Amino acid sequence: MFSETSNDEILIVNLAKGDDSAFRSVYNQYYRKIYQFAFSFTKNREQSEEILQETFLMLWKRRMSLDPSMPIAPVLFTVSRRLVIDSFRKSMSAEKYRIEVTERLDMLHTDTAEKVEFSDLKRVVNDIIAELPQQQQTVLKLKKFDELSYDEISELLNISKSTVKNHLMAALKTLRSRMDREGILYVLLILLAK
């Protein structure tokens, strides 16, 4: 009986030898699944295609280190999962974060008279946030606005859970200190982050 595992073994052995037909066989067998996996996260056709291409490029580059006794699908999905996470990491920026802060402030206060006061508050808060180191900005956004857990942030940014906590504590400490100096109640930051 010819099982999928023994088929994978043959493909991996042939891949290690640089066999183009083995590579095409793996590609034809998995490209739709990898694309759908990437698209389920990115919701972006071009980004998913890039992840698909990069996944198979990585497979080709690492073909010599593949273990023939292991199935090939987990390898492909692990590589594509890492590429999805990297893609998210690259797409995060301070500008996008500041836009989200502004949108949340606008949702909280729609009254015209309050908007004048809150525009000053938004400017100060955005300025403080913009001065934070990039990693602190990202962790603060993911925790307070996207409401991700420490574990989720750790996996997404590929840093330890304690590093996530340290970045968040440092960001909040800086915000609290600066807001105290500016005469802004720290509690407003907590309200804005809800």
Side-chain angles (χ1 to χ4, degrees):
M1 173 135 183
F2 195 68
S3 70
E4 186 177 322
T5 304
S6 61
N7 187 39
D8 278 1
E9 286 179 30
I10 293 166
L11 286 173
I12 291 171
V13 167
N14 289 335
L15 267 175
K17 293 177 184 176
D19 184 347
D20 289 342
S21 64
F23 180 79
R24 276 194 302 278
S25 179
V26 172
Y27 182 84
N28 290 335
Q29 187 175 352
Y30 291 104
Y31 82 93
R32 283 188 185 96
K33 293 176 185 175
I34 298 299
Y35 174 84
Q36 289 169 348
F37 176 78
F39 189 81
S40 71
F41 290 100
T42 66
K43 307 295 187 220
N44 180 293
R45 194 175 66 82
E46 288 178 11
Q47 199 173 12
S48 299
E49 287 173 358
E50 285 178 22
I51 289 169
L52 171 68
Q53 290 174 5
E54 189 66 27
T55 298
F56 281 96
L57 179 63
M58 297 284 275
L59 174 70
W60 183 255
K61 287 180 178 178
R62 297 180 183 170
R63 68 188 185 278
M64 301 295 287
S65 63
L66 294 174
D67 182 354
S69 66
M70 301 296 291
I72 202 159
V75 173
L76 291 170
F77 283 99
T78 299
V79 170
S80 62
R81 180 181 151 274
R82 288 183 185 144
L83 291 169
V84 166
I85 291 170
D86 287 346
S87 176
F88 281 131
R89 190 180 303 132
K90 289 174 187 172
S91 68
M92 286 185 246
S93 69
E95 184 59 32
K96 183 178 176 184
Y97 179 61
R98 283 192 291 275
I99 290 168
E100 287 186 29
V101 169
T102 302
E103 287 172 357
R104 286 187 182 262
L105 285 169
D106 288 341
M107 286 175 14
L108 284 173
H109 298 280
T110 55
D111 187 12
T112 307
E114 290 178 328
K115 277 189 175 180
V116 172
E117 293 175 24
F118 268 81
S119 68
D120 288 340
L121 175 61
K122 285 191 287 189
R123 182 188 50 76
V124 171
V125 170
N126 283 335
D127 289 347
I128 294 170
I129 290 170
E131 291 175 11
L132 291 173
Q134 181 63 45
Q135 194 77 326
Q136 288 181 19
Q137 290 181 35
T138 302
V139 169
L140 181 68
K141 173 199 172 290
L142 293 172
K143 183 67 178 155
K144 292 296 183 181
F145 290 89
D146 295 345
E147 300 179 14
L148 297 181
S149 70
Y150 290 115
D151 290 328
E152 291 170 321
I153 297 169
S154 172
E155 183 176 344
L156 184 65
L157 300 179
N158 199 24
I159 57 177
S160 72
K161 189 175 169 181
S162 62
T163 302
V164 171
K165 287 181 181 179
N166 289 340
H167 282 308
L168 183 62
M169 288 181 355
L172 292 175
K173 182 178 178 183
T174 301
L175 288 169
R176 186 180 301 122
S177 170
R178 285 288 308 279
M179 292 177 90
D180 285 346
R181 272 189 274 149
E182 298 288 341
I184 301 169
L185 294 175
Y186 179 71
V187 74
L188 284 176
L189 175 66
I190 303 305
L191 291 173
L192 298 177
K194 294 293 181 189

